[in-house]
Amino acid sequence: MFKYGRKCRRPIFWPLNDYRCPQWAFEKAVLLGDAAAGFSLTAGIGAGMAMESAWVLTRMLRYADKNNLAALLKAYEESQKPRVEAARGSSRSLANMMFRQSKLSTYLRDLSMYFASVEMAIKPIQKLVANPPKPDEIANSCLNKVNAQNNVSR
């Protein structure tokens, strides 16, 4: 390893932590991106998931009014959270595969790459991308439930 043009005796290791909030949606507020589920910096998928979540939320909020905002925010959380958690899990798996501290585990990882392709490692992320969320359908389903509840309570 080199540091500032000189060879380092020992590389610096730090823990790869990622964080997530157990609840994203509140009555009049919602979390997304790193505020909801911070990713480790290994696969580069965290920023993409934050942008997707912002897009989904924006599309769903087009249907919002003061009577259904909380329900739409909850529906956003219920639809996006599994996707974000799946991406986070894939990112964590890639981190565990890529970053090894011992020479033996690094050698075994490199050797295994002869038998496993990169495509195999990123397949879960490719599945997410191939099946994008449908925010308009989610919002309409949520509004149908809200309207049904309002009709029952009348």
Side-chain angles (χ1 to χ4, degrees):
M1 292 288 203
F2 291 90
K3 182 177 181 181
Y4 308 116
R6 295 177 300 186
K7 189 172 183 177
C8 288
R9 293 176 193 259
R10 187 169 132 80
I12 299 170
F13 294 101
W14 62 91
L16 295 172
N17 297 321
D18 43 21
Y19 300 94
R20 58 184 170 246
C21 185
Q23 181 181 354
W24 297 5
F26 304 89
E27 191 174 325
K28 295 181 182 179
V30 68
L31 303 175
L32 61 87
D34 284 346
F39 282 66
S40 59
L41 305 172
T42 53
I45 191 71
M49 292 307 297
M51 287 186 274
E52 177 187 282
S53 293
W55 173 74
V56 169
L57 181 61
T58 302
R59 294 292 297 247
M60 292 180 70
L61 288 177
R62 295 183 320 157
Y63 300 94
D65 63 31
K66 66 180 181 177
N67 298 320
N68 63 23
L69 178 60
L72 282 169
L73 295 179
K74 187 68 177 161
Y76 155 79
E77 177 182 350
E78 290 171 355
S79 67
Q80 273 306 102
K81 197 171 192 176
R83 292 180 59 79
V84 170
E85 290 295 326
R88 195 193 63 73
S90 296
S91 176
R92 170 54 65 192
S93 295
L94 285 172
N96 289 338
M97 182 179 71
M98 291 187 309
F99 299 106
R100 299 293 179 187
Q101 292 185 13
S102 75
K103 288 182 180 181
L104 176 61
S105 62
T106 302
Y107 172 78
L108 292 173
R109 177 208 57 210
D110 292 347
L111 182 64
S112 71
M113 294 290 37
Y114 286 109
F115 304 105
S117 66
V118 172
E119 287 80 19
M120 189 171 100
I122 63 171
K123 194 170 222 44
I125 294 172
Q126 289 174 326
K127 280 177 136 177
L128 281 173
V129 172
N131 298 302
K134 296 175 174 70
D136 294 305
E137 289 179 19
I138 297 163
N140 285 321
S141 174
C142 173
L143 294 176
N144 288 337
K145 290 176 188 174
V146 168
N147 291 334
Q149 289 171 349
N150 289 341
N151 289 337
V152 168
S153 63
R154 286 184 185 165

